[in-house]
Amino acid sequence: GEIPSEIGMLTKLTSLIINGCILTGTLPSEIGLLTSLYTLSLDFNGLVGSLPSEINNLVLIDDLSLVGTELTGDLTPLLCNPQDITEPLAVGDYNTQCLNDNPSIRCDCC
């Protein structure tokens, strides 16, 4: 199934891990309302389309994993290189050292 737009109502959620659950469709823009998230992992699902620009509202993220999806788009430098963590943000196979096996997700920091 699809991720419902009501996901945005879970504003206190700190971790969302839904890996290999046959999710389909796009990532709803309401994902950007989850500003308490530290972890967002949606690996190996049938998600497609552009990353919503609202994903850049997730400024507390220190683990963003989208491996095995067909999502495309850009991340802001703030998400690529958060100032309050000691290791580079991993975005699927992508990190701030620009090691990228999935060129569909780009970061302005590179």
Side-chain angles (χ1 to χ4, degrees):
E2 296 186 3
I3 299 174
S5 60
E6 289 82 6
I7 192 88
M9 297 172 65
L10 303 173
T11 57
K12 302 291 184 195
L13 194 66
T14 60
S15 181
L16 180 61
I17 301 170
I18 310 174
N19 295 329
C21 290
I22 316 172
L23 293 174
T24 59
T26 60
L27 193 57
S29 61
E30 289 81 4
I31 203 80
L33 298 173
L34 305 182
T35 55
S36 296
L37 275 185
Y38 287 93
T39 301
L40 176 60
S41 182
L42 302 172
D43 296 346
F44 304 106
N45 284 293
L47 297 172
V48 298
S50 297
L51 290 170
S53 61
E54 291 84 358
I55 200 166
N56 292 302
N57 295 340
L58 307 180
V59 297
L60 297 179
I61 282 285
D62 63 10
D63 184 8
L64 175 59
S65 187
L66 304 170
V67 175
T69 70
E70 297 294 324
L71 293 168
T72 62
D74 298 313
L75 297 174
T76 66
L78 183 60
L79 279 183
C80 294
N81 195 13
Q83 297 178 10
D84 61 342
I85 62 172
T86 57
E87 295 184 22
L89 171 66
V91 182
D93 292 331
Y94 185 96
N95 64 40
T96 56
Q97 278 80 37
C98 300
L99 302 173
N100 188 357
D101 291 337
N102 180 0
S104 298
I105 298 175
R106 295 171 304 279
C107 183
D108 290 342
C109 60
C110 301

